[in-house]
Amino acid sequence: RQQYVGKLKFASLEASQGSKKLVVATEKNVVAALNSRSGEILWRHVDKGTPEGAIDAMLIHGQDAITVSNAGRILRSWETNIGGLNWEMSLDTGSFQVASLVGLQDVVKYVAVLKKAAISLHYLSNGHQKWVEHLPGSESTQYQLLYSHGTGVIHVLGIVPQSHLNVLTFSVEDGEITKQVIRVAAPWLKSLNGVCSVVGDAVLVCVDVDTHSLYVCSLETEQEMKQILLQSLDLEFADGFQPRILATQPNVISASRTQFFLQLSPSHFSLLQYKHGLLSHLRDFQQAALVSFATTGEKTVAAVLTCRSELKPGSSDGLHAGSTLEDSRKQESLTCSNQTYNINLYLVETGQRLLDTTITFNLEQSGAKPQQLYIQVFLKKDDSVGYRALVQTEDHMLMFLQQPGKVVWSREESLAEVVSLEMVDLPLTGAQAELEGEFGKKADGLLGMFLKRLSSQLILLQAWTAHLWKMFYDARKPRSQIKNEINIDNLARDEFNLQKMMVMVTASGKLFGIESSSGTILWKQYLRNVKLGSSFKLMVQRTTAHFPHPPQCTLLVKDKETKMSFLYVFNPIFGKRSQVAPPVLKRPILQTLLLPIMDQDYAKVLLLIDDEYKVTAFPATKNVLRQLEEIAHSIFFYLVDAEQGKLSGFRLKKDLTTEESWEVIIPTEVQRIVTVKGKRSNEHVHSQGRVMGDRSVLYKSLNPNLLAVVTESTDTHHERTFIGIYLIDGVTGRIIHSSVQKKAKGPVHIVHSENWVVYQYWNTKARRNEFTVLELYEGTEQYNATAFSSLDRPILPQVLQQSYIFPSAISAMEATITERGITSRHLLIGLPSGAILSLPKALLDPRRPEIPTEQSREENLIPYSPDVQIHAERFINYNQTISRMRGIYTAPSGLESTCLVVAYGLDIYQTRVYPSKQFDVLKDDYDYVLISSVLFGLVFATMITKRLAQVKLLNRAWR
């Protein structure tokens, strides 16, 4: 199991050299502490996955972390050493704006929370509310900023867009407004966030792009804005860029620093100072990607991340500008040509660069840009400044760096959002491949074949001696020193094909190759041009079985907004982009189809159907097109339009055009299509039927073209809500079975396999989770035992149905799968608690009798009981729980008894399950000594008796 936290939203690095933890809050609604020496999770708290659990702010004071979540409704304090909850308070509703720690004299005692219409002050020690005050004029005024610096007052700044600013001053002691509301005219100001900041002793600095100037105003003494033109400092903004200000307040009980960063363009920052009414320019940073402030003791430094070579305009969007500067607008993106970056420290008072503080690092492997920068500064023994840096890149990778550029650790946080997954067999070893090659190619004549056999045998001998030598060498070492490191070079298939390559696609557009037995990331690839929210479909076109052709995977990426798609073809073992050029897709793709036909290089043919119902084949060689023409009459596909409630079937013509063959319309005003589930193409069915108690056979209805369509009512009232299920033949459009569960609602989880469908839903009347199972049978006689055709099925199958009560909600559900389908099937059910339950399919059998008869006992049918119990011994992951599980993937192994399982969500977990126990493997406690001694004894006894018999025969002959 591997655990993740997700993309960082807030992070705090303790400012001491010996500190061991980083406290982080993430976009996955997780609060966690990471070990700063190894990157491991020390503790982690996972909140709800919905917007209710979203963390809006995180403040750190000493050993406490204060978080505001659920749109400002919940205030929590965490003990950062062990992750315990100190206290939790629920706040009044209201749109959350900002939270801040508040100090009095020299002690930080309170935390202030600013909402749209009110401000409240809470004690840090227990969370109790000290006071709450309503903000005057909150209907028209947007209150967005909060500032205090230990003087016993809190300044709240509100803005009436394009009119004026309101400055309120509250007393910390009793919440009284101590000064009259100051109204400052600012007709050019639309918002305070990012545009304004407080520097020095409560001086508000705002930037205006139209007049190319800064405006300053002291919150305590002045009542109007003073304009300072930037031309006087020889600074100017980039066209169409919204400039931003980044200031720092190292301690809430003292004033902010008078220095601040002004961002003039995506890669241009200036360090300015406003002191005693004068604005001075300290330093210019031209090629800067990110900036950040950090403080240790009395020293405050500015960290600037720059590109070593020149920044060039790139093709992908969305570089966020700075550590605390979040810009939702897409900015002109900049790429660093050689992907090498420097971080330097500068003294804020003078803008002077500190010597020996450069960290250099390279992002060439991933090609992603840095997106966030967090700095941990400490004073060394000689009073010089040392620091470590935490960099988050746009592909959600975290890197913890120390001088002069050593990567202490890195974490791949994009794996907290796996969206697609496939398992690929590992390749053969060199020796095995050599043997394969010997039989796979026609050599020149007998002599050539003989020499080839000789050379391959020599290679095998060499490999065997190397293996023996390694075993002998390792036997002399202590076990702790033996390293079984897995890397791409020594990857090879094991005897029973239990180790596989897991190819994972994440929501950020990053691909991973992970070795299944150890969880080692062997390769990673970042697709830069993937936009957020894209959908992915991963298909294996060629496996490792076709040596010397490399395996090939194809990823279809579809943009959410433009609906346009592109194909990415790569080798799943090494992660390298394939030499094969995929077709350019000019139209949005609606459906993909992986056909069983192959080209001359053993790659399966992929059909792509666009929104004009035109078909593109990949690969599109002459051989493939000829094969397609021959089998076009038997290629059918379906399309689903959930918005219009339409399912339509198409057939392929010889000239690769399509024609509609059927259409089913489900009225959208009554119900909407939720899921359409077909059967898995790699599924094998071992038995054609079930032997009944009277020795007759009940034949399964095994229709490979069957689709299970789940619909949900649009009316959400608990009395009128329902769930519909339709079993539709994908070739003819014939509705084989339809049923409605009244007073039921989703989310619906469904598994469709062999001749059965299991789906789970929420019963609103009985207020419980229920399973319904459908099984399809042809009867005691088969219509056609040799071949199946959807076009020739006059008789509808018999449908058996039964429902069961399940005591828990469900996060994910999947059925086990094995190579030959002999092993009995189990349902793997992911529970919200993080456990995975392995439930025998026999428990969800619609033929379970209410009153057992002689025949049902003969058939080993369990008597019907509506409750399905959760037994702890059926959990396959014990204490290795998976937070926020999103899916379960199953794959067959080389052993018929064994099924490989991967569960993914916020964590990734891989294991093996044995639904029918390990019937094809000798047990661990198998007594080899006894069996071998008995065998040796028998052989020895045979030899002796043989000798005795010979002597006896000889003696008889002499008589």
Side-chain angles (χ1 to χ4, degrees), residues 29-40:
N29 309 349
V30 173
V31 182
L34 305 178
N35 184 332
S36 61
R37 295 178 185 182
S38 63
E40 290 171 0

Side-chain angles (χ1 to χ4, degrees), residues 199 203 216 226 228 233 258 260 272-281:
V199 301
V203 177
V216 291
K226 190 169 89 179
I228 301 168
L233 301 171
T258 52
F260 60 94
L272 305 175
Q273 174 171 290
Y274 183 78
K275 206 169 187 179
H276 309 311
L278 288 171
L279 183 70
S280 52
H281 182 214

Side-chain angles (χ1 to χ4, degrees), residues 147 149 155 198-204 217-221 255-256:
Y147 183 75
H149 56 120
H155 300 291
V198 181
V199 301
D201 278 320
V203 177
L204 181 72
C217 166
S218 171
L219 300 178
E220 292 177 345
T221 57
S256 292

Side-chain angles (χ1 to χ4, degrees), residues 129-141:
Q129 187 174 293
K130 184 174 168 77
W131 50 260
V132 60
E133 291 294 329
H134 183 73
L135 300 171
S138 58
E139 295 80 28
S140 58
T141 313

